[in-house]
Amino acid sequence: MPGTILAVGAHMDDCENGAGGVILDAVQRGWRVVVVTVVSDFSTWAPTVGREDQVRQELLDLADRFGYEKRFLDYAYHQVEPNIQLKRRIAAIYDEVSPQIGLVHCPEDHWPDHRATGIAAKDAMIFAHGLSGNLQAPRCERIFGYSSTPHQMVSFEPDFYHDVTAVMEDWMRLVTGTDCCLSGMAADELPLHTVTVPASGDRPERTLRCSHHGWLKLAECVVWGNRGARCPFALGLKALWGPREGRPLFDD
Ligand SMILES: [Zn+2]
């Protein structure tokens, strides 16, 4: 296996919405991707009350279908603090899976669960030697911050861009899947945006179907593709730890 990514998100869809392009690209390159969802007591959030077990199973099925691992830490909604308990739990997973790349929320996020999870996850991946029980645990080589949605983090300014053009269809399908889990609606009940991307080079014309969160991310990826990576779609990330010189995420 060429490498491992550990992605940590507060809510059921944060990693998938915020960093799904990199997650799927990594999976398709043979990397192991472990996604940790901190808040997963679905009895503490009105939209998921009454279908707690179903939501959990659907999220696991989605991860299975797209080739990554999903783990739940079972915190309640809006009750996450960046304390030692949370840092230790994330550090234990970090030490177990030994990732080369970490993906976390940025601490500037307006959502308190996002902020707390971002701080705890970054600390856990840099200071696992003091938190995991393994005194020899190395620091994560590279940690990037992602933004889940534009209105949750209006000040997000990426400084690293990864071309996600090849995985956009799959990413939009994945986000449609998490939007189904979130809403309790089937994919054919969700209002979907349809975007036709004209043929370019050896890439044929493509049609992307985007649910609400997919549409938001697609719009951002168009801007980031133009700004940072000179490609149709790029994911913008913020380098929080490790090299900032723009070394690509994956060695081809
Ligand atoms: Zn969230």
Side-chain angles (χ1 to χ4, degrees):
M1 194 159 284
T4 299
I5 288 180
L6 177 59
V8 184
H11 304 126
M12 66 167 88
D13 57 351
D14 287 330
C15 291
E16 287 84 348
N17 289 345
V22 164
I23 289 170
L24 296 180
D25 194 14
V27 166
Q28 291 182 12
R29 292 166 188 269
W31 282 52
R32 179 185 186 188
V33 179
V34 178
V35 171
V36 174
T37 296
V38 172
V39 173
S40 45
D41 176 352
F42 298 122
S43 70
T44 62
W45 197 50
T48 50
V49 168
R51 52 186 186 96
E52 293 87 346
D53 293 342
Q54 180 194 342
V55 170
R56 180 179 290 253
Q57 190 55 53
E58 286 176 1
L59 289 167
L60 291 172
D61 291 346
L62 209 53
D64 205 39
R65 183 174 137 210
F66 284 91
Y68 62 94
E69 299 167 42
K70 183 97 163 168
R71 301 195 190 185
F72 300 111
L73 298 190
D74 293 334
Y75 280 71
Y77 273 84
H78 305 304
Q79 296 181 32
V80 180
E81 292 285 349
N83 54 26
I84 292 298
Q85 182 205 33
L86 178 57
K87 292 179 188 182
R88 279 185 178 152
R89 292 194 66 188
I90 298 171
I93 297 172
Y94 169 83
D95 185 48
E96 177 203 328
V97 306
S98 302
Q100 291 75 44
I101 297 172
L103 300 171
V104 303
H105 289 284
C106 282
E108 294 83 14
D109 200 300
H110 290 303
W111 261 238
D113 287 346
H114 294 183
R115 222 165 37 232
T117 298
I119 292 168
K122 177 167 166 265
D123 287 355
M125 292 193 216
I126 300 178
F127 302 99
H129 52 282
L131 294 161
S132 66
N134 175 8
L135 297 175
Q136 310 304 324
R139 300 187 200 280
C140 192
E141 294 167 27
R142 309 181 83 177
I143 302 173
F144 294 93
Y146 62 82
S147 165
S148 288
T149 67
H151 87 297
Q152 291 172 319
M153 214 169 119
V154 293
S155 61
F156 185 66
E157 280 297 330
D159 56 13
F160 183 88
Y161 302 89
H162 181 73
D163 184 345
V164 292
T165 306
V167 295
M168 277 311 280
E169 285 102 328
D170 282 345
W171 190 7
M172 293 301 103
R173 283 188 206 106
L174 172 60
V175 174
T176 298
T178 50
D179 276 348
C180 288
C181 295
L182 199 74
S183 64
M185 296 167 75
D188 58 8
E189 296 172 324
L190 289 174
L192 296 177
H193 301 259
T194 302
V195 179
T196 301
V197 183
S200 173
D202 57 359
R203 200 177 293 283
E205 179 181 288
R206 299 187 289 165
T207 301
L208 304 174
R209 304 265 291 158
C210 314
S211 58
H212 171 65
H213 285 107
W215 173 246
L216 295 175
K217 192 53 70 178
L218 179 137
E220 288 186 310
C221 289
V222 171
V223 173
W224 292 332
N226 176 261
R227 185 194 293 165
R230 298 290 173 187
C231 59
F233 301 102
L235 176 62
L237 297 167
K238 198 165 172 53
L240 300 179
W241 179 259
R244 287 172 166 74
E245 84 285 8
R247 177 163 59 93
L249 289 183
F250 309 116
D251 297 323
D252 287 314

